[in-house]
Amino acid sequence: MKRKNIILRFRSIRTSIIVSFAALIVFALLTFLVISLRYTENTILDNSTEYTSQLIGQVNGDIDSYISYMENISLVVASNQAVYEFLAAEEEWDERAEQVAVMFRTLKDTRQDISNIGIVTGEGEYVLNRGGDRLNPYVDVGDLPWYQAALEAEGRNVLSSSHVQNAVYNSYDWVVTLSRQIRSARETASQGVFFVDLNYNSINTLCENINLGERGYVFILDREGSVIYHPQQQLLYSGLKTERLQEVMDTGETSFVTEDEYLYTVSRSDYTGWTIVGVAYVPELLKNSREAQSMYLFMALALFLVALALAVLLSDEITKPVKRLENSMEAVKKGNFDRAALEVGDENEIGRLTRSFNIMTEEIKKLMEESEREQQAKRKNELKALQNQINPHFLYNTLDSIIWMAEWGKNQEVVEMTSSLAKLLRRSISNEQETVTVEEEAAYTETYLRIQKMRYKDKLEYEISIDQEIMQEEVIKLILQPLVENSIYHGIKYKEGKGLIEISGYREGDCMVLKVRDDGIGMDEETLEHIFEKHVRDTRSNGVGLKNVNERIQLYYGAEYGITYESIRGGGTTAVIRLPYGREGQER
């Protein structure tokens, strides 16, 4: 199957040119926009990633400094003489514990970020916070992870993951614990573990100070990938929120973007072993690109409008000769050959086409004039032939009926039938004019019916009822008689009993309607569909046929007029003629 070019779908060459130019312009501008926007988006994303990395690095540095400061505190405590005396004491525990408590009170007063601070010996002696707190009797401190980690580290500082500190009675703060083992110089002295609980809010404050947009946040993982801090930690632990923890721990990159458009920026601390992760929503990072996108779109729109205006101007210049040729063709189509001739301009394809069109138009005009003359002569000859066409069989039967009635002495009937036949022949062979009044056409048809009624005796009845309003309207000759003849020979003749033919006429708006109805045997649907097709001549009828009558009406008045049929098998047939009202027989 041939594929049509899309340009051929437009009704105007000018439109095709404009659309083609517009398509090329749009393609070029879209290419420019896609490349520009993609470059801008990538640049902004790279800058945002770099900026986010710097922020996360800053958080990492702040946390390192914070932990370093807390380790210095643990070093100060570990090297404090009062602590050593507390560990080495064999008596006066309370007095030595008070000295340690004084130091702890000082630290608590100066550092609001310390939730708990204490030291616990292997024998179960301890000093907590300001000295008044005590260990939770329901918890074995020696089994706590941070305590065991401090013993295993053998004097090195150990950072725990975030947890609820339940070692101190009646205190259940969410903290990160820094702990270390402290040994006395004396071998027989007790060993202890110093711990300081870092207030979780302090880490929260450090992380929340970083602005990563409305949907961005920071979280912290330890060396094993466990969560130290997360702004939605409770949701995370309850399973209502998930994080890409394994992907963060496994990645060797400083950042990556997920399929749900989140940018993960990773910073690892060599000092604490923690991993600081910043999560930002990419569309929020790219919101600054909207201004650049708006500028690009404005430039593209301006370029498109300028290019489209040039395309319109150029298409006008290109299509002016074609438009003139189209207008001339339209005039020819309407039959106005006087405006068809065009002046030949440039010697290009359009000029040569214009010259050929002028020659063709002149030839068509001559052919149409000749065809018009031939058609008029043909129509007049057809009408004359129709008027002169009296069925020999009908004429023979009529004359035979006259002879039969004369032999039987029915002189009145002979006179009446002979008179009717004379009138019929006189009207039929009259060639003076093509049109008659409805009244004259009805009178001619009635004469034909009178003869047929005398022939068929009690077999046929007829009624003529035509409104006086249309009686003087002119119609072409011989449009009712062929329909009546068709009703007799194909409807009434084969009916059992007497048949009735009704002829009526009336005005309907701008039309007048003439009907010929019979109560004969009718037609089935298939016969009705093919009623206007050309058949072999039937010697019982006039041979002219309904098709000829219908074509003459449409040729004379127009395709919107003509004959229609309504029929039911066994229920009779109605022929309806629609003609213009008030046209006074004017030929189209």
Side-chain angles (χ1 to χ4, degrees):
M1 186 173 63
K2 295 183 178 179
R3 300 176 63 183
K4 293 184 178 180
N5 192 313
I6 191 171
I7 295 178
L8 297 179
R9 297 178 185 175
F10 296 104
R11 298 180 62 184
S12 167
I13 296 177
R14 180 172 177 268
T15 302
S16 299
I17 294 173
I18 294 173
V19 171
S20 300
F21 282 172
L24 292 174
I25 295 166
V26 169
F27 175 76
L29 290 178
L30 285 178
T31 304
F32 163 75
L33 280 175
V34 169
I35 295 174
S36 300
L37 293 177
R38 181 64 61 86
Y39 174 77
T40 303
E41 183 177 297
N42 291 338
T43 301
I44 293 176
L45 183 59
D46 290 342
N47 292 338
S48 299
T49 303
E50 179 65 25
Y51 176 70
T52 304
S53 297
Q54 292 176 1
L55 291 179
I56 299 304
Q58 178 184 338
V59 173
N60 200 354
D62 291 342
I63 291 177
D64 285 351
S65 298
Y66 179 68
I67 299 301
S68 175
Y69 184 79
M70 290 302 169
E71 288 184 343
N72 289 337
I73 291 177
S74 72
L75 182 60
V76 169
V77 172
S79 61
N80 187 273
Q81 184 64 32
V83 173
Y84 281 116
E85 290 178 357
F86 173 73
L87 293 175
E90 296 179 357
E91 57 184 15
E92 299 178 350
W93 284 95
D94 293 341
E95 182 180 344
R96 297 185 187 280
E98 178 60 25
Q99 292 176 0
V100 176
V102 170
M103 178 179 61
F104 286 175
R105 281 196 294 271
T106 302
L107 290 172
K108 287 275 289 184
D109 289 339
T110 57
R111 298 290 304 200
Q112 299 298 321
D113 52 348
I114 296 177
S115 180
N116 294 300
I117 186 169
I119 186 169
V120 182
T121 68
E123 287 77 14
E125 300 294 335
Y126 58 87
V127 179
L128 298 177
N129 297 326
R130 300 180 183 276
D133 294 327
R134 58 193 179 92
L135 290 177
N136 192 338
Y138 304 105
V139 174
D140 186 354
V141 177
D143 292 336
L144 295 177
W146 57 266
Y147 191 94
Q148 292 293 326
L151 295 179
E152 294 172 3
E154 297 182 345
R156 296 189 306 275
N157 290 313
V158 178
L159 277 173
S160 73
S161 297
S162 57
H163 64 100
V164 176
Q165 179 61 280
N166 57 356
V168 180
Y169 182 69
N170 241 4
S171 176
Y172 302 97
D173 294 333
W174 197 270
V175 296
V176 174
T177 301
L178 185 148
S179 60
R180 67 180 294 169
Q181 185 185 44
I182 301 177
R183 289 178 177 271
S184 174
R186 291 170 52 191
E187 294 184 0
T188 59
S190 297
Q191 297 180 8
V193 173
F194 167 77
F195 72 94
V196 56
D197 288 336
L198 308 180
N199 194 318
Y200 196 73
N201 290 332
S202 300
I203 299 176
N204 186 34
T205 301
L206 287 174
C207 295
E208 285 187 344
N209 286 336
I210 302 301
N211 182 15
L212 296 180
E214 293 181 1
R215 301 173 65 172
Y217 55 91
V218 176
F219 65 91
I220 304 173
L221 305 178
D222 63 12
R223 293 180 187 274
E224 286 72 34
S226 299
V227 176
I228 293 175
Y229 163 80
H230 195 287
Q232 297 176 323
Q233 197 143 330
Q234 298 296 333
L235 295 178
L236 201 64
Y237 285 161
S238 63
L240 297 177
K241 180 175 177 59
T242 58
E243 279 292 356
R244 300 172 181 270
L245 303 182
Q246 193 60 47
E247 192 172 349
V248 169
M249 297 303 295
D250 293 343
T251 185
E253 305 293 333
T254 57
S255 64
F256 61 90
V257 178
T258 64
E259 61 273 8
D260 52 353
E261 296 189 290
Y262 278 96
L263 170 67
Y264 280 71
T265 306
V266 180
S267 178
R268 307 186 192 277
S269 173
D270 295 330
Y271 183 74
T272 61
W274 289 359
T275 301
I276 316 300
V277 184
V279 182
Y281 189 47
V282 173
E284 287 184 349
L285 297 177
L286 296 178
K287 65 182 180 180
N288 293 330
S289 66
R290 292 176 183 171
E291 183 176 348
Q293 292 175 353
S294 299
M295 181 184 67
Y296 291 147
L297 290 173
F298 176 77
M299 291 175 58
L301 180 60
L303 290 173
F304 174 76
L305 292 177
V306 171
L308 189 62
L310 292 175
V312 171
L313 293 175
L314 289 174
S315 65
D316 279 342
E317 291 300 319
I318 294 173
T319 58
K320 275 182 181 178
V322 179
K323 192 66 179 177
R324 287 196 294 268
L325 188 59
E326 180 189 14
N327 293 336
S328 182
M329 288 181 176
E330 189 68 25
V332 170
K333 184 172 71 173
K334 295 178 180 179
N336 189 353
F337 288 89
D338 296 334
R339 295 177 53 192
L342 292 173
E343 182 180 352
V344 179
D346 299 331
E347 289 296 325
N348 52 21
E349 290 85 350
I350 300 298
R352 291 191 290 273
L353 182 62
T354 302
R355 185 179 291 106
S356 299
F357 174 74
N358 288 339
I359 296 172
M360 179 191 69
T361 303
E362 187 62 30
E363 291 297 323
I364 291 175
K365 182 179 180 181
K366 292 178 181 178
L367 290 173
M368 287 188 66
E369 290 174 350
E370 183 177 349
S371 176
E372 179 88 16
R373 290 192 294 270
E374 291 178 355
Q375 287 296 326
Q376 289 178 356
K378 180 180 178 181
R379 187 169 63 251
K380 289 180 179 179
N381 291 335
E382 286 179 350
L383 185 58
K384 290 177 181 178
L386 178 65
Q387 293 168 348
N388 294 330
Q389 216 167 17
I390 297 298
N391 190 319
H393 189 69
F394 163 75
L395 186 59
Y396 169 79
N397 287 337
T398 303
L399 292 174
D400 187 60
S401 297
I402 293 173
I403 294 171
W404 177 82
M405 286 186 290
E407 289 178 351
W408 284 85
K410 296 182 178 182
N411 297 329
Q412 185 61 36
E413 285 85 347
V414 169
V415 172
E416 186 177 349
M417 181 173 282
T418 304
S419 175
S420 296
L421 180 61
K423 290 180 181 178
L424 187 68
L425 290 173
R426 184 169 57 252
R427 289 181 179 274
S428 175
I429 64 177
S430 174
N431 297 323
E432 296 177 358
Q433 56 185 5
E434 293 185 43
T435 61
V436 293
T437 63
V438 174
E439 184 178 16
E440 290 172 330
E441 179 69 13
Y444 173 81
T445 305
E446 185 178 9
T447 301
Y448 174 79
L449 280 168
R450 191 178 299 117
I451 294 174
Q452 295 287 31
K453 179 175 173 57
M454 284 187 287
R455 285 184 56 202
Y456 288 101
K457 302 187 184 318
D458 297 333
K459 183 75 174 176
L460 174 66
E461 291 289 342
Y462 66 87
E463 294 179 2
I464 299 177
S465 175
I466 299 177
D467 291 351
Q468 193 63 34
E469 183 181 8
I470 65 171
M471 276 296 193
Q472 300 307 312
E473 290 292 311
E474 290 189 357
V475 296
I476 58 174
K477 286 183 178 180
L478 296 176
I479 58 174
L480 284 177
Q481 185 270 334
L483 271 62
V484 170
E485 184 176 350
N486 191 68
S487 294
I488 294 173
Y489 285 106
H490 299 288
I492 301 298
K493 185 173 182 179
Y494 298 101
K495 178 186 176 181
E496 294 183 3
K498 184 179 292 187
L500 173 65
I501 294 178
E502 297 176 306
I503 300 175
S504 61
Y506 54 89
R507 177 182 176 181
E508 188 177 86
D510 294 334
C511 297
M512 57 180 172
V513 178
L514 299 175
K515 289 185 178 181
V516 177
R517 182 187 176 281
D518 67 73
D519 59 357
I521 61 174
M523 292 178 284
D524 56 29
E525 186 174 342
E526 183 179 358
T527 304
L528 195 61
E529 289 178 356
H530 302 283
I531 195 168
F532 289 116
E533 293 182 1
K534 187 174 182 181
H535 298 287
V536 179
R537 177 168 175 166
D538 186 350
T539 58
R540 295 170 301 178
S541 64
N542 68 4
V544 177
L546 302 176
K547 184 174 184 294
N548 179 287
V549 177
N550 193 51
E551 286 179 351
R552 286 195 300 116
I553 291 174
Q554 292 183 341
L555 180 65
Y556 201 86
Y557 296 107
E560 64 270 29
Y561 302 102
I563 305 172
T564 58
Y565 264 85
E566 301 171 0
S567 183
I568 301 175
R569 190 68 175 173
T573 302
T574 301
V576 181
I577 304 176
R578 297 184 65 85
L579 301 170
Y581 177 81
R583 292 279 290 273
E584 298 181 358
Q586 292 296 319
E587 187 178 349
R588 287 176 60 86

